[in-house]
């Protein structure tokens, strides 16, 4: 059984981050195929639905979040809504149940949520999600390129087929180009683009080498695009998570790996929760980061980005 979380500290201050959330070993997980679902995870992930308190940092904004139905994307959608933003989320059609659940959580904040099912490996859909967002809300202030494909962990490069590598790159970086190109056409000065990277860009794991390589590409994409768009008053940044307890992970690794996930490869000896990522995205989308562009913000539990 997973260790219980602690929400208090003996000194009356912040909770101890090492024990704030469940730690391995975790219960045996159900076998999942990509993209995975929230409902089959044990313990359930924390998306901030009960803990995140907004203060109007994104009041009046409209954000498009790819892969916004579950995991990190869901936590960001909830946080943005609590900060006053309307959100549109893209997701695969087979994730409809997770998307509906996310929509309900978002709308408890009094803001609106637009559901945009489709496949980001389809070039036409990459443009459509932006155009549909602008058509529905009248504008777009923030784009969060978050969707990702992560195949099953392999025993080496010999298992990485051409088809899998192409799918990984198409979803994880090519879609970032396509969605961003369309979004920029509608963005005014003060708008933001936030890309989801990974510690894998700096410390790649051989079993998911294709995924790790796309995350390295996202770092380059962020830095290069920020230099171009700063002239338009648009900021571009990246959040690089460490090991995070999401359906993407549950669908990628075998049971024995999931049982100890985040225990050995994080200095905090536990995986992060999606809710712990959301404040980083809020910061980068808000005026609090007005002098920040081209940066990679690590939320890794102590893992070093170098």
């Amino acid at each position: 059984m997973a260790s219980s979380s602690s929400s208090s500290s003996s000194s009356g201050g912040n909770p101890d981050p090492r024990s704030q959330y469940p730690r391995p070993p975790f219960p045996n997980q159900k076998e999942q195929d990509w993209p995975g679902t929230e409902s089959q995870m044990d313990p359930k992930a924390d998306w901030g639905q009960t803990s995140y308190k907004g203060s109007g940092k994104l009041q009046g904004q409209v954000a498009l979040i790819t892969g916004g139905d579950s995991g990190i994307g869901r936590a960001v959608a909830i946080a943005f809504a609590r900060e006053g933003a309307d959100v549109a989320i893209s997701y695969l059609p087979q994730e409809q149940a997770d998307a509906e659940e996310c929509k309900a959580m978002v709308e408890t904040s009094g803001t609106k949520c637009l559901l945009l099912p489709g496949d980001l490996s389809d070039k036409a859909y990459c443009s459509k999600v932006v155009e549909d967002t602008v058509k529905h809300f009248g504008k777009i202030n923030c784009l969060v390129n978050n969707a990702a494909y992560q195949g099953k962990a392999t025993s080496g490069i010999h298992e990485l087929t051409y088809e899998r590598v192409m799918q990984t790159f198409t979803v994880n970086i090519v879609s970032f180009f396509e969605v961003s190109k369309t979004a920029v056409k509608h963005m005014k000065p003060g708008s933001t683009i936030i890309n989801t990277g990974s510690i894998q860009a700096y410390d790649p794991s051989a079993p998911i080498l294709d995924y790790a390589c796309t995350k390295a590409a996202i770092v380059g994409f962020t830095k290069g695009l920020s230099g171009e768009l700063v002239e338009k008053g648009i900021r571009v940044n990246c959040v690089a998570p460490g090991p995070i307890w999401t359906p993407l992970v549950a669908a990628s690794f075998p049971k024995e790996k999931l049982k100890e996930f985040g225990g050995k490869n994080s200095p905090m000896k536990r995986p992060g929760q999606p809710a712990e990522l959301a404040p980083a995205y809020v910061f980068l989308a808000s005026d609090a980061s007005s002098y920040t562009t081209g940066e990679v913000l690590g939320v890794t539990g102590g893992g070093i980005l170098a």
Side-chain angles (χ1 to χ4, degrees), residues 255-277:
K255 290 181 179 180
E256 57 272 18
K257 174 76 172 179
L258 293 173
K259 194 173 186 68
E260 297 296 333
F261 182 74
K264 296 178 180 179
N265 57 345
S266 169
M268 285 196 189
K269 305 305 180 186
R270 68 168 178 86
Q273 293 289 330
E276 296 179 281
L277 270 293

Side-chain angles (χ1 to χ4, degrees), residues 199-211:
I199 196 172
Q200 287 288 325
Y202 304 88
D203 187 17
S205 299
I208 50 172
L209 182 59
D210 52 338
Y211 174 86

Side-chain angles (χ1 to χ4, degrees), residues 14-167:
N14 292 331
D16 186 334
R18 299 170 298 173
S19 57
Q20 187 175 357
Y21 286 101
R23 301 177 68 175
F26 297 127
N28 286 331
Q29 304 297 306
K30 294 182 179 179
E31 291 287 348
Q32 294 200 53
D33 292 323
W34 183 78
T37 61
E38 299 276 9
S39 61
Q40 297 189 62
M41 298 181 68
D42 181 17
K44 296 289 187 280
D46 180 6
W47 318 293
Q49 69 272 31
T50 60
S51 60
Y52 191 93
K53 309 297 182 186
S55 57
K57 293 183 180 69
L58 306 178
Q59 196 69 42
Q61 287 200 30
V62 170
L64 168 60
I65 304 166
T66 67
D69 62 295
S70 64
I72 294 170
R74 177 185 288 193
V76 173
I78 292 169
F80 278 21
R82 300 278 169 86
E83 296 292 353
D86 292 324
V87 299
I89 60 173
S90 80
Y91 55 95
L92 291 166
Q94 59 263 43
E95 299 173 297
Q96 187 66 34
D98 279 348
E100 294 286 354
E101 191 175 61
C102 181
K103 183 175 189 284
M105 292 178 184
V106 164
E107 292 184 341
T108 62
S109 303
T111 60
K112 299 180 178 65
C113 182
L114 174 65
L115 299 184
L116 299 168
D119 189 342
L120 287 166
S121 64
D122 177 1
K123 179 182 176 182
Y125 175 72
C126 290
S127 297
K128 188 175 187 297
V129 289
V130 176
E131 299 295 353
D132 286 354
T133 298
V134 174
K135 181 178 179 180
H136 187 83
F137 291 118
K139 61 180 180 178
I140 180 171
N141 304 104
C142 177
L143 167 63
V144 179
N145 284 311
N146 171 72
Y149 172 76
Q150 181 175 300
K152 294 285 187 181
T154 70
S155 61
I157 193 172
H158 61 279
E159 290 187 0
L160 291 175
T161 65
Y162 177 85
E163 290 76 17
R164 168 168 161 168
V165 172
M166 288 300 293
Q167 181 179 5

Side-chain angles (χ1 to χ4, degrees), residues 220-280:
F221 175 75
T222 299
K223 292 180 178 294
L225 187 60
S226 69
E228 174 186 346
L229 296 187
V230 70
E231 299 295 332
K232 299 179 182 293
I234 300 170
R235 295 184 294 107
V236 185
N237 291 290
C238 177
V239 176
I244 308 297
W245 191 243
T246 68
L248 187 73
V249 164
S252 299
F253 294 107
K255 290 181 179 180
E256 57 272 18
K257 174 76 172 179
L258 293 173
K259 194 173 186 68
E260 297 296 333
F261 182 74
K264 296 178 180 179
N265 57 345
S266 169
M268 285 196 189
K269 305 305 180 186
R270 68 168 178 86
Q273 293 289 330
E276 296 179 281
L277 270 293

Side-chain angles (χ1 to χ4, degrees), residues 275-297:
E276 296 179 281
L277 270 293
Y281 290 82
V282 171
F283 168 69
L284 293 174
S286 73
D287 285 342
S289 60
S290 59
Y291 201 57
T292 304
T293 193
E295 291 297 329
V296 179
L297 177 55

